[in-house]
Amino acid sequence: MASNRVLVYGGRGALGSTCVKHFKSKGWWVASIDITANEDANENVLVKMSESFTEHAGQVTADVAQLLGEEKVDAILCVAGGWAGGNCGSKDLFKNADLMWKQSVWSSTISSHLAVLHLKPGGLLTLAGAKASLSGTGGMVGYGMAKAAVHQLCQSLANKNSGLPSGSTAVAILPVTLDTPMNRKFMPDADFSSWTPLEYIAETFFGWATGEDRPASGSLMQLLTAGGKTQAVAAH
């Protein structure tokens, strides 16, 4: 029985799948939370789609509680999210803003509540922000707003009265572009050496989860990649 345990919210996506495989390779017990199962995970919590946040969050929270029982986890990695563009004049503004809020803010809020309930003292919670949301995002307002909300949540979690277990850490990663198959498909002429490899993020998460170079709670860590090399640099 693996002594270390991790929940990966968005465990079926490109980054989530990489994290599931990496932690499994290190002997950890891994549970994936997503709309479809990840066969590499030890366990799966399947998310039912709902237009109601309270219904959606209630279902995930109840199913994770049923899975874990009294067991606590060492880390919760929220890597759910997506991208949609459009300015305030876009015909898809409302649809895309709604989608971005669901993909980023719903998942981050639920992950934060799961951390209060199930994270060990001294554990790690990671959230997925975006470097672009450190400033204005006129051409992708829904995305920018949602990721900025994730940054604020991360900083709130660092407060003593946030509800997180003692000694635990909340950190948001702020990438620019992730090196995913989907991004390569839609941006085939881009400079891939400036994109952040998924393996780098999974390895960084594992280091933080085991106490290696873990940033202070509330940190917004920019992932800056150039010439195929990536650095994690605090935004503040």
Side-chain angles (χ1 to χ4, degrees):
M1 180 80 179
S3 58
N4 296 107
R5 302 159 75 85
V6 60
L7 299 178
V8 182
Y9 203 121
R12 191 64 180 82
L15 177 54
S17 295
T18 302
C19 291
V20 168
K21 286 181 179 177
H22 189 78
F23 277 76
K24 274 285 296 277
S25 75
K26 300 293 186 180
W28 283 45
W29 178 93
V30 183
S32 170
I33 305 170
D34 212 322
I35 56 174
T36 55
N38 184 328
E39 299 303 327
D40 292 323
N42 296 91
E43 298 285 350
N44 283 276
V45 172
L46 297 182
V47 178
K48 298 182 180 75
M49 300 305 292
S50 172
E51 289 301 312
S52 163
F53 176 52
T54 51
E55 284 182 12
H56 179 90
Q59 178 254 314
V60 175
T61 303
D63 287 357
V64 170
Q66 184 175 9
L67 172 65
L68 293 177
E70 296 301 312
E71 291 279 356
K72 300 291 185 182
V73 299
D74 299 87
I76 297 175
L77 313 177
C78 181
V79 290
W83 182 88
N87 64 20
C88 284
S90 167
K91 69 181 190 318
D92 294 324
L93 170 65
F94 300 144
K95 181 184 78 171
N96 286 349
D98 179 58
L99 177 63
M100 293 298 93
W101 202 258
K102 287 172 178 171
Q103 289 186 341
S104 288
V105 182
W106 284 19
S107 57
S108 298
T109 307
I110 296 167
S111 295
S112 301
H113 187 60
L114 293 176
V116 172
L117 298 175
H118 303 296
L119 196 62
K120 291 179 183 176
L124 173 72
L125 168 67
T126 71
L127 302 176
K131 186 176 184 296
S133 288
L134 293 173
S135 57
T137 55
M140 46 182 185
V141 290
Y143 178 85
M145 284 192 296
K147 292 298 189 179
V150 173
H151 298 175
Q152 203 282 337
L153 173 59
C154 180
Q155 293 173 315
S156 293
L157 289 167
N159 292 167
K160 287 183 178 176
N161 61 350
S162 71
L164 283 185
S166 63
S168 56
T169 303
V171 182
I173 57 165
L174 278 59
V176 179
T177 306
L178 299 181
D179 191 356
T180 66
M182 193 67 72
N183 282 341
R184 286 193 178 227
K185 177 181 175 182
F186 286 107
M187 294 180 275
D189 299 324
D191 175 13
F192 300 149
S193 71
S194 68
W195 291 7
T196 302
L198 304 182
E199 293 76 12
Y200 170 87
I201 300 175
E203 290 166 8
T204 299
F205 283 165
F206 185 79
W208 293 348
T210 54
E212 180 186 328
D213 298 326
R214 184 189 287 191
S217 194
S219 293
L220 307 179
M221 300 300 293
Q222 303 172 89
L223 303 183
L224 307 177
T225 304
K229 296 192 183 312
T230 303
Q231 289 180 300
V233 179
H236 301 299

mmCIF file of all heavy atoms in Angstrom, residues 153-191:
data_model
loop_
_atom_site.group_PDB
_atom_site.id
_atom_site.type_symbol
_atom_site.label_atom_id
_atom_site.label_comp_id
_atom_site.label_asym_id
_atom_site.label_seq_id
_atom_site.Cartn_x
_atom_site.Cartn_y
_atom_site.Cartn_z
ATOM 1 N N LEU A 153 -7.571 33.680 -5.044
ATOM 2 C CA LEU A 153 -7.883 32.547 -4.172
ATOM 3 C C LEU A 153 -6.616 31.989 -3.544
ATOM 4 O O LEU A 153 -6.565 31.719 -2.332
ATOM 5 C CB LEU A 153 -8.614 31.468 -4.973
ATOM 6 C CG LEU A 153 -8.876 30.135 -4.271
ATOM 7 C CD1 LEU A 153 -9.709 30.328 -3.012
ATOM 8 C CD2 LEU A 153 -9.552 29.158 -5.229
ATOM 9 N N CYS A 154 -5.583 31.826 -4.343
ATOM 10 C CA CYS A 154 -4.325 31.296 -3.836
ATOM 11 C C CYS A 154 -3.765 32.178 -2.723
ATOM 12 O O CYS A 154 -3.326 31.689 -1.673
ATOM 13 C CB CYS A 154 -3.307 31.166 -4.970
ATOM 14 S SG CYS A 154 -1.704 30.527 -4.446
ATOM 15 N N GLN A 155 -3.803 33.481 -2.919
ATOM 16 C CA GLN A 155 -3.294 34.398 -1.908
ATOM 17 C C GLN A 155 -4.166 34.391 -0.655
ATOM 18 O O GLN A 155 -3.659 34.474 0.469
ATOM 19 C CB GLN A 155 -3.185 35.803 -2.502
ATOM 20 C CG GLN A 155 -2.109 35.880 -3.580
ATOM 21 C CD GLN A 155 -2.086 37.205 -4.316
ATOM 22 O OE1 GLN A 155 -3.138 37.730 -4.701
ATOM 23 N NE2 GLN A 155 -0.912 37.755 -4.519
ATOM 24 N N SER A 156 -5.466 34.232 -0.837
ATOM 25 C CA SER A 156 -6.370 34.126 0.318
ATOM 26 C C SER A 156 -6.089 32.873 1.133
ATOM 27 O O SER A 156 -6.173 32.883 2.368
ATOM 28 C CB SER A 156 -7.831 34.122 -0.150
ATOM 29 O OG SER A 156 -8.190 35.364 -0.713
ATOM 30 N N LEU A 157 -5.747 31.791 0.457
ATOM 31 C CA LEU A 157 -5.481 30.526 1.147
ATOM 32 C C LEU A 157 -4.250 30.609 2.041
ATOM 33 O O LEU A 157 -4.084 29.799 2.955
ATOM 34 C CB LEU A 157 -5.317 29.398 0.125
ATOM 35 C CG LEU A 157 -6.607 28.969 -0.586
ATOM 36 C CD1 LEU A 157 -6.279 28.089 -1.792
ATOM 37 C CD2 LEU A 157 -7.545 28.230 0.361
ATOM 38 N N ALA A 158 -3.374 31.582 1.769
ATOM 39 C CA ALA A 158 -2.180 31.747 2.598
ATOM 40 C C ALA A 158 -2.490 32.439 3.927
ATOM 41 O O ALA A 158 -1.660 32.414 4.845
ATOM 42 C CB ALA A 158 -1.121 32.540 1.842
ATOM 43 N N ASN A 159 -3.674 33.055 4.036
ATOM 44 C CA ASN A 159 -4.047 33.701 5.299
ATOM 45 C C ASN A 159 -4.275 32.668 6.394
ATOM 46 O O ASN A 159 -4.733 31.553 6.120
ATOM 47 C CB ASN A 159 -5.320 34.533 5.116
ATOM 48 C CG ASN A 159 -5.128 35.752 4.221
ATOM 49 O OD1 ASN A 159 -6.094 36.358 3.798
ATOM 50 N ND2 ASN A 159 -3.894 36.117 3.922
ATOM 51 N N LYS A 160 -3.997 33.043 7.616
ATOM 52 C CA LYS A 160 -4.099 32.092 8.734
ATOM 53 C C LYS A 160 -5.516 31.584 8.949
ATOM 54 O O LYS A 160 -5.714 30.479 9.440
ATOM 55 C CB LYS A 160 -3.580 32.747 10.013
ATOM 56 C CG LYS A 160 -2.069 32.903 10.043
ATOM 57 C CD LYS A 160 -1.586 33.493 11.347
ATOM 58 C CE LYS A 160 -0.060 33.597 11.358
ATOM 59 N NZ LYS A 160 0.447 34.256 12.582
ATOM 60 N N ASN A 161 -6.501 32.390 8.594
ATOM 61 C CA ASN A 161 -7.894 31.991 8.814
ATOM 62 C C ASN A 161 -8.531 31.376 7.572
ATOM 63 O O ASN A 161 -9.749 31.345 7.434
ATOM 64 C CB ASN A 161 -8.717 33.191 9.277
ATOM 65 C CG ASN A 161 -8.742 34.316 8.245
ATOM 66 O OD1 ASN A 161 -7.994 34.276 7.265
ATOM 67 N ND2 ASN A 161 -9.587 35.319 8.469
ATOM 68 N N SER A 162 -7.713 30.860 6.643
ATOM 69 C CA SER A 162 -8.249 30.338 5.373
ATOM 70 C C SER A 162 -8.945 29.001 5.522
ATOM 71 O O SER A 162 -9.716 28.607 4.653
ATOM 72 C CB SER A 162 -7.116 30.193 4.350
ATOM 73 O OG SER A 162 -6.255 29.125 4.706
ATOM 74 N N GLY A 163 -8.647 28.284 6.590
ATOM 75 C CA GLY A 163 -9.236 26.956 6.775
ATOM 76 C C GLY A 163 -8.322 25.818 6.394
ATOM 77 O O GLY A 163 -8.615 24.653 6.697
ATOM 78 N N LEU A 164 -7.200 26.098 5.706
ATOM 79 C CA LEU A 164 -6.272 25.025 5.329
ATOM 80 C C LEU A 164 -5.634 24.417 6.572
ATOM 81 O O LEU A 164 -5.448 25.091 7.583
ATOM 82 C CB LEU A 164 -5.174 25.567 4.413
ATOM 83 C CG LEU A 164 -5.510 25.835 2.950
ATOM 84 C CD1 LEU A 164 -4.244 26.249 2.202
ATOM 85 C CD2 LEU A 164 -6.143 24.633 2.276
ATOM 86 N N PRO A 165 -5.279 23.135 6.502
ATOM 87 C CA PRO A 165 -4.613 22.488 7.642
ATOM 88 C C PRO A 165 -3.301 23.185 8.000
ATOM 89 O O PRO A 165 -2.677 23.842 7.158
ATOM 90 C CB PRO A 165 -4.358 21.067 7.133
ATOM 91 C CG PRO A 165 -5.328 20.870 6.021
ATOM 92 C CD PRO A 165 -5.529 22.207 5.394
ATOM 93 N N SER A 166 -2.883 23.029 9.243
ATOM 94 C CA SER A 166 -1.684 23.719 9.721
ATOM 95 C C SER A 166 -0.457 23.306 8.909
ATOM 96 O O SER A 166 -0.284 22.143 8.562
ATOM 97 C CB SER A 166 -1.439 23.399 11.195
ATOM 98 O OG SER A 166 -1.186 22.020 11.373
ATOM 99 N N GLY A 167 0.356 24.299 8.593
ATOM 100 C CA GLY A 167 1.613 24.036 7.899
ATOM 101 C C GLY A 167 1.469 23.697 6.433
ATOM 102 O O GLY A 167 2.470 23.438 5.758
ATOM 103 N N SER A 168 0.246 23.706 5.908
ATOM 104 C CA SER A 168 0.061 23.361 4.496
ATOM 105 C C SER A 168 0.320 24.584 3.624
ATOM 106 O O SER A 168 0.342 25.721 4.098
ATOM 107 C CB SER A 168 -1.335 22.794 4.233
ATOM 108 O OG SER A 168 -2.324 23.687 4.669
ATOM 109 N N THR A 169 0.513 24.333 2.340
ATOM 110 C CA THR A 169 0.949 25.366 1.409
ATOM 111 C C THR A 169 0.051 25.372 0.174
ATOM 112 O O THR A 169 -0.212 24.320 -0.405
ATOM 113 C CB THR A 169 2.401 25.105 0.956
ATOM 114 O OG1 THR A 169 3.244 25.052 2.106
ATOM 115 C CG2 THR A 169 2.901 26.199 0.030
ATOM 116 N N ALA A 170 -0.389 26.575 -0.220
ATOM 117 C CA ALA A 170 -1.119 26.748 -1.477
ATOM 118 C C ALA A 170 -0.239 27.551 -2.433
ATOM 119 O O ALA A 170 0.248 28.628 -2.069
ATOM 120 C CB ALA A 170 -2.434 27.478 -1.246
ATOM 121 N N VAL A 171 -0.021 27.012 -3.625
ATOM 122 C CA VAL A 171 0.826 27.662 -4.620
ATOM 123 C C VAL A 171 0.105 27.631 -5.968
ATOM 124 O O VAL A 171 -0.464 26.600 -6.346
ATOM 125 C CB VAL A 171 2.191 26.948 -4.766
ATOM 126 C CG1 VAL A 171 3.069 27.675 -5.774
ATOM 127 C CG2 VAL A 171 2.901 26.834 -3.430
ATOM 128 N N ALA A 172 0.143 28.737 -6.687
ATOM 129 C CA ALA A 172 -0.405 28.771 -8.051
ATOM 130 C C ALA A 172 0.741 28.829 -9.052
ATOM 131 O O ALA A 172 1.716 29.554 -8.840
ATOM 132 C CB ALA A 172 -1.323 29.975 -8.243
ATOM 133 N N ILE A 173 0.621 28.035 -10.104
ATOM 134 C CA ILE A 173 1.580 28.149 -11.211
ATOM 135 C C ILE A 173 0.997 29.086 -12.249
ATOM 136 O O ILE A 173 -0.203 29.073 -12.518
ATOM 137 C CB ILE A 173 1.926 26.781 -11.835
ATOM 138 C CG1 ILE A 173 0.663 26.046 -12.324
ATOM 139 C CG2 ILE A 173 2.719 25.927 -10.857
ATOM 140 C CD1 ILE A 173 0.962 24.883 -13.249
ATOM 141 N N LEU A 174 1.873 29.921 -12.828
ATOM 142 C CA LEU A 174 1.453 30.908 -13.819
ATOM 143 C C LEU A 174 2.246 30.680 -15.106
ATOM 144 O O LEU A 174 3.247 31.352 -15.367
ATOM 145 C CB LEU A 174 1.690 32.332 -13.304
ATOM 146 C CG LEU A 174 0.658 32.961 -12.358
ATOM 147 C CD1 LEU A 174 0.466 32.140 -11.089
ATOM 148 C CD2 LEU A 174 1.072 34.387 -12.015
ATOM 149 N N PRO A 175 1.840 29.693 -15.911
ATOM 150 C CA PRO A 175 2.543 29.446 -17.171
ATOM 151 C C PRO A 175 2.151 30.461 -18.240
ATOM 152 O O PRO A 175 1.194 31.224 -18.072
ATOM 153 C CB PRO A 175 2.079 28.038 -17.557
ATOM 154 C CG PRO A 175 0.724 27.913 -16.931
ATOM 155 C CD PRO A 175 0.745 28.745 -15.682
ATOM 156 N N VAL A 176 2.920 30.462 -19.314
ATOM 157 C CA VAL A 176 2.578 31.251 -20.502
ATOM 158 C C VAL A 176 1.897 30.324 -21.509
ATOM 159 O O VAL A 176 0.694 30.409 -21.743
ATOM 160 C CB VAL A 176 3.821 31.920 -21.108
ATOM 161 C CG1 VAL A 176 3.444 32.723 -22.358
ATOM 162 C CG2 VAL A 176 4.480 32.836 -20.088
ATOM 163 N N THR A 177 2.655 29.400 -22.071
ATOM 164 C CA THR A 177 2.093 28.394 -22.976
ATOM 165 C C THR A 177 2.646 27.031 -22.584
ATOM 166 O O THR A 177 3.858 26.868 -22.418
ATOM 167 C CB THR A 177 2.460 28.679 -24.439
ATOM 168 O OG1 THR A 177 2.066 30.011 -24.776
ATOM 169 C CG2 THR A 177 1.768 27.710 -25.374
ATOM 170 N N LEU A 178 1.769 26.058 -22.419
ATOM 171 C CA LEU A 178 2.184 24.693 -22.111
ATOM 172 C C LEU A 178 2.417 23.924 -23.406
ATOM 173 O O LEU A 178 1.691 24.093 -24.390
ATOM 174 C CB LEU A 178 1.115 23.976 -21.278
ATOM 175 C CG LEU A 178 0.783 24.588 -19.918
ATOM 176 C CD1 LEU A 178 -0.274 23.743 -19.212
ATOM 177 C CD2 LEU A 178 2.032 24.706 -19.057
ATOM 178 N N ASP A 179 3.413 23.062 -23.391
ATOM 179 C CA ASP A 179 3.742 22.261 -24.573
ATOM 180 C C ASP A 179 2.852 21.022 -24.597
ATOM 181 O O ASP A 179 3.226 19.945 -24.152
ATOM 182 C CB ASP A 179 5.219 21.878 -24.559
ATOM 183 C CG ASP A 179 5.660 21.279 -25.891
ATOM 184 O OD1 ASP A 179 4.804 21.095 -26.775
ATOM 185 O OD2 ASP A 179 6.862 21.000 -26.041
ATOM 186 N N THR A 180 1.641 21.209 -25.110
ATOM 187 C CA THR A 180 0.667 20.120 -25.211
ATOM 188 C C THR A 180 0.433 19.766 -26.678
ATOM 189 O O THR A 180 0.639 20.593 -27.566
ATOM 190 C CB THR A 180 -0.678 20.526 -24.588
ATOM 191 O OG1 THR A 180 -1.257 21.582 -25.377
ATOM 192 C CG2 THR A 180 -0.512 20.997 -23.155
ATOM 193 N N PRO A 181 -0.014 18.549 -26.944
ATOM 194 C CA PRO A 181 -0.340 18.167 -28.326
ATOM 195 C C PRO A 181 -1.365 19.106 -28.967
ATOM 196 O O PRO A 181 -1.255 19.450 -30.148
ATOM 197 C CB PRO A 181 -0.900 16.751 -28.180
ATOM 198 C CG PRO A 181 -0.260 16.224 -26.927
ATOM 199 C CD PRO A 181 -0.146 17.398 -26.013
ATOM 200 N N MET A 182 -2.352 19.555 -28.178
ATOM 201 C CA MET A 182 -3.384 20.441 -28.720
ATOM 202 C C MET A 182 -2.793 21.788 -29.115
ATOM 203 O O MET A 182 -3.117 22.335 -30.179
ATOM 204 C CB MET A 182 -4.501 20.636 -27.687
ATOM 205 C CG MET A 182 -5.737 21.277 -28.252
ATOM 206 S SD MET A 182 -6.599 20.225 -29.446
ATOM 207 C CE MET A 182 -7.303 18.982 -28.383
ATOM 208 N N ASN A 183 -1.908 22.336 -28.264
ATOM 209 C CA ASN A 183 -1.288 23.620 -28.602
ATOM 210 C C ASN A 183 -0.403 23.504 -29.841
ATOM 211 O O ASN A 183 -0.352 24.406 -30.678
ATOM 212 C CB ASN A 183 -0.480 24.154 -27.414
ATOM 213 C CG ASN A 183 -1.369 24.775 -26.355
ATOM 214 O OD1 ASN A 183 -2.505 25.125 -26.613
ATOM 215 N ND2 ASN A 183 -0.845 24.895 -25.150
ATOM 216 N N ARG A 184 0.304 22.398 -29.976
ATOM 217 C CA ARG A 184 1.146 22.201 -31.169
ATOM 218 C C ARG A 184 0.286 22.090 -32.425
ATOM 219 O O ARG A 184 0.663 22.580 -33.495
ATOM 220 C CB ARG A 184 2.012 20.951 -31.004
ATOM 221 C CG ARG A 184 3.168 21.150 -30.036
ATOM 222 C CD ARG A 184 4.181 20.026 -30.130
ATOM 223 N NE ARG A 184 5.314 20.261 -29.232
ATOM 224 C CZ ARG A 184 6.579 20.144 -29.580
ATOM 225 N NH1 ARG A 184 6.893 19.792 -30.821
ATOM 226 N NH2 ARG A 184 7.545 20.366 -28.713
ATOM 227 N N LYS A 185 -0.884 21.473 -32.268
ATOM 228 C CA LYS A 185 -1.787 21.313 -33.418
ATOM 229 C C LYS A 185 -2.286 22.670 -33.904
ATOM 230 O O LYS A 185 -2.333 22.930 -35.117
ATOM 231 C CB LYS A 185 -2.969 20.427 -33.017
ATOM 232 C CG LYS A 185 -4.009 20.256 -34.124
ATOM 233 C CD LYS A 185 -5.175 19.394 -33.650
ATOM 234 C CE LYS A 185 -6.261 19.315 -34.708
ATOM 235 N NZ LYS A 185 -7.430 18.522 -34.248
ATOM 236 N N PHE A 186 -2.652 23.550 -32.957
ATOM 237 C CA PHE A 186 -3.257 24.822 -33.334
ATOM 238 C C PHE A 186 -2.242 25.935 -33.550
ATOM 239 O O PHE A 186 -2.575 26.972 -34.115
ATOM 240 C CB PHE A 186 -4.301 25.246 -32.287
ATOM 241 C CG PHE A 186 -5.561 24.433 -32.369
ATOM 242 C CD1 PHE A 186 -5.865 23.485 -31.401
ATOM 243 C CD2 PHE A 186 -6.441 24.586 -33.435
ATOM 244 C CE1 PHE A 186 -7.025 22.716 -31.487
ATOM 245 C CE2 PHE A 186 -7.600 23.832 -33.524
ATOM 246 C CZ PHE A 186 -7.887 22.893 -32.558
ATOM 247 N N MET A 187 -1.005 25.730 -33.090
ATOM 248 C CA MET A 187 0.044 26.743 -33.296
ATOM 249 C C MET A 187 1.304 26.069 -33.834
ATOM 250 O O MET A 187 2.357 26.077 -33.194
ATOM 251 C CB MET A 187 0.331 27.476 -31.979
ATOM 252 C CG MET A 187 -0.827 28.311 -31.481
ATOM 253 S SD MET A 187 -0.472 29.164 -29.912
ATOM 254 C CE MET A 187 -0.883 27.874 -28.725
ATOM 255 N N PRO A 188 1.204 25.455 -35.028
ATOM 256 C CA PRO A 188 2.309 24.632 -35.535
ATOM 257 C C PRO A 188 3.579 25.413 -35.859
ATOM 258 O O PRO A 188 4.663 24.828 -35.920
ATOM 259 C CB PRO A 188 1.714 23.991 -36.796
ATOM 260 C CG PRO A 188 0.636 24.938 -37.229
ATOM 261 C CD PRO A 188 0.057 25.486 -35.955
ATOM 262 N N ASP A 189 3.459 26.720 -36.057
ATOM 263 C CA ASP A 189 4.630 27.521 -36.446
ATOM 264 C C ASP A 189 5.255 28.263 -35.264
ATOM 265 O O ASP A 189 6.155 29.080 -35.446
ATOM 266 C CB ASP A 189 4.235 28.539 -37.525
ATOM 267 C CG ASP A 189 3.721 27.855 -38.783
ATOM 268 O OD1 ASP A 189 4.257 26.780 -39.128
ATOM 269 O OD2 ASP A 189 2.777 28.382 -39.404
ATOM 270 N N ALA A 190 4.783 27.973 -34.055
ATOM 271 C CA ALA A 190 5.296 28.671 -32.871
ATOM 272 C C ALA A 190 6.688 28.166 -32.490
ATOM 273 O O ALA A 190 7.144 27.116 -32.962
ATOM 274 C CB ALA A 190 4.334 28.483 -31.706
ATOM 275 N N ASP A 191 7.348 28.918 -31.626
ATOM 276 C CA ASP A 191 8.655 28.530 -31.095
ATOM 277 C C ASP A 191 8.435 27.622 -29.886
ATOM 278 O O ASP A 191 8.217 28.088 -28.774
ATOM 279 C CB ASP A 191 9.439 29.787 -30.689
ATOM 280 C CG ASP A 191 10.750 29.451 -30.009
ATOM 281 O OD1 ASP A 191 11.175 28.278 -30.073
ATOM 282 O OD2 ASP A 191 11.339 30.365 -29.395
#
